[in-house]
Amino acid sequence: MYKSALPRVRTQARAWSSLALALALAAPLGAMAQGAPIKVTLVASADEEGQNGLGDEVQIMTQAVIDEYNDTQTGGPTIELQVLDSQGVSEAKLAQEAAGSLALISCVNEKPCLLQAKVAKALNIPLLGPMTGDMALRDKAWAGTVLPVRPSNADALKNALRALSTMRVKKLGVLVQGDAYGQDLDAVLGTLKLPEGLEIAAKETIDSKSAWPALTQRLQGAGVTAVLLLSDHVPTANALVSYWNSRRKTAAAYTPTMMHLDGLAVPEYAEKAAGYPGGSMFVTIVPSPWGGRRQAQRDYQALAQSKGIYRASYGSFEAFLNALVLVNAVRNGKATTPAKLAQYLHSSPVSLGGLSLRYVGGKNDTTGFLDLSVLGVDGSFRH
């Protein structure tokens, strides 16, 4: 059972021979041994986002869902969560430790996610539910191995553009983060047909040190009334909204509506953007973790609070959903091998308490839930 102190298996950084790696890759991945626990591997992250740190919240929620399954299942196999420390795991070490696992689950951040994707592909097991940094995992090389709960860039952008058009926005400013994430989104945006009546009147590349006064003047000069941030970089978004908030009560006030994708739907940005007079909107990929319309939301909140997570977040909610997908597959007898788990997830939508997730076979974007959230003056997201 999960204890209040996070149990982590600390690994020693050491070189592993090619023989050790070969033996790991040769480990049997067929039917799980009769009566033996099903092993699932999670690589814990030191990411500090969230109440307890996103890495800790991912571990807490994953373990809690598995514990609840183990306590309530009858007649089926139990699930054993193996937790490894990302700071001490090399590719060879992870390959050895994860051998025999049904799946890797809920990776966090780009470098650890890429390492886990390589190992998952070598072991021929799924990597289920990357959390953050998963843009790097959308390369076609990971198709069929990586199963993220993420919409395609095109779907997310179309949803944002439709919302702006519905709001009767005519002139849009696009602010592109100067990194691979922003550039990827900008490339996809260039392929989309804009809704009738909506035009991109200005486009700017931004970072946390951008000259906000000059940028603001250019946006105003172009007649921009709403901006679309193609960014998941919290310091940059914080710097921008802080500058516009600082001018809100002056004659030079400029407060266009701000549209964001899911990468900025995090507490660290919400605290800065709360009360922004122009309004802050977000395209999100799962329902609000604060809402209660769906059973999955209520179940998450109750379980999170029972484990000491009183500040709900999208990150811990996604970890809950990833783990729930896994235990449901095991409970239903659909996950006796890694191949059968992947086949089950690709074959049909997975229903999770009023939320339907679909993993598209042969592609590394999923057609998950898309919603639109508005940030309230109190810093909470409303759908």
Side-chain angles (χ1 to χ4, degrees), residues 265-285:
V266 295
E268 290 76 11
Y269 178 60
E271 290 170 0
K272 288 285 186 180
Y276 171 70
S280 298
M281 305 180 69
F282 298 78
V283 175
T284 54
I285 56 163

Side-chain angles (χ1 to χ4, degrees), residues 63-138:
Q63 186 70 66
V65 172
I66 289 175
D67 284 347
E68 188 173 63
Y69 161 80
N70 286 337
D71 290 344
T72 59
Q73 67 84 24
T74 56
T78 57
I79 301 174
E80 175 185 319
L81 181 65
Q82 171 180 244
V83 180
L84 306 175
D85 191 331
S86 63
Q87 296 180 356
V89 175
S90 66
E91 185 175 337
K93 173 63 174 175
L94 179 57
Q96 183 176 50
E97 295 290 345
S101 294
L102 178 68
L104 290 163
I105 189 167
S106 290
C107 72
V108 177
N109 289 328
E110 181 174 343
K111 186 176 179 180
C113 283
L114 282 172
L115 182 148
Q116 291 174 64
K118 291 177 183 178
V119 171
K121 187 170 184 177
L123 295 177
N124 198 25
I125 63 177
L127 171 54
L128 177 61
M131 303 295 303
T132 60
D134 71 322
M135 289 304 302
L137 300 181
R138 292 192 176 181

Side-chain angles (χ1 to χ4, degrees), residues 72-352:
T72 59
Q73 67 84 24
T74 56
T78 57
I79 301 174
E80 175 185 319
L81 181 65
Q82 171 180 244
V83 180
L84 306 175
D85 191 331
S86 63
Q87 296 180 356
V89 175
S90 66
E91 185 175 337
K93 173 63 174 175
L94 179 57
Q96 183 176 50
E97 295 290 345
S101 294
L102 178 68
L104 290 163
I105 189 167
S106 290
C107 72
V108 177
N109 289 328
E110 181 174 343
K111 186 176 179 180
C113 283
L114 282 172
L115 182 148
Q116 291 174 64
K118 291 177 183 178
V119 171
K121 187 170 184 177
L123 295 177
N124 198 25
I125 63 177
L127 171 54
L128 177 61
M131 303 295 303
T132 60
D134 71 322
M135 289 304 302
L137 300 181
R138 292 192 176 181
D139 187 273
K140 62 182 180 181
W142 310 121
T145 297
V146 176
L147 301 173
V149 182
R150 284 286 186 270
S152 67
N153 288 341
D155 286 342
L157 289 168
K158 286 176 184 176
N159 207 45
L161 294 172
R162 280 196 299 267
L164 291 165
S165 177
T166 300
M167 296 166 57
R168 301 186 183 279
V169 172
K170 301 297 182 185
K171 293 191 175 183
L172 176 66
V174 178
L175 306 183
V176 183
Q177 177 68 32
D179 59 14
Y181 177 81
Q183 293 163 8
D184 286 346
L185 288 167
D186 188 36
V188 174
L189 179 62
T191 68
L192 301 180
K193 182 180 179 180
L194 297 178
E196 186 175 353
L198 179 66
E199 67 169 295
I200 297 176
K203 183 183 290 187
E204 300 276 350
T205 299
I206 59 172
D207 59 39
S208 58
K209 297 181 180 179
S210 290
W212 303 120
L215 180 146
T216 298
Q217 288 183 350
R218 292 192 294 272
L219 294 177
Q220 286 179 298
V224 167
T225 60
V227 295
L228 172 62
L229 270 69
L230 305 184
S231 172
D232 63 351
H233 192 244
V234 172
T236 297
N238 278 346
L240 173 61
V241 77
S242 294
Y243 175 72
W244 282 346
N245 267 332
S246 71
R247 294 159 37 106
R248 59 193 294 180
K249 295 182 179 180
T250 70
Y254 177 63
T255 54
T257 299
M258 300 179 72
M259 176 66 75
H260 316 74
L261 302 184
D262 67 283
L264 286 172
V266 295
E268 290 76 11
Y269 178 60
E271 290 170 0
K272 288 285 186 180
Y276 171 70
S280 298
M281 305 180 69
F282 298 78
V283 175
T284 54
I285 56 163
V286 295
S288 165
W290 300 273
R293 286 190 301 160
R294 295 173 174 83
Q295 186 63 46
Q297 294 167 301
R298 299 191 292 273
D299 290 345
Y300 154 73
Q301 292 160 7
L303 189 58
Q305 291 180 17
S306 75
K307 299 301 178 182
I309 301 177
Y310 297 100
R311 185 183 180 186
S313 69
Y314 281 99
S316 58
F317 188 29
E318 284 184 46
F320 168 81
L321 294 174
N322 293 335
L324 200 58
V325 166
L326 177 74
V327 301
N328 283 355
V330 173
R331 193 190 305 274
N332 296 332
K334 303 295 185 180
T336 54
T337 67
K340 289 184 177 180
L341 172 61
Q343 182 182 14
Y344 166 70
L345 295 176
H346 286 151
S347 63
S348 60
V350 179
S351 179
L352 300 175

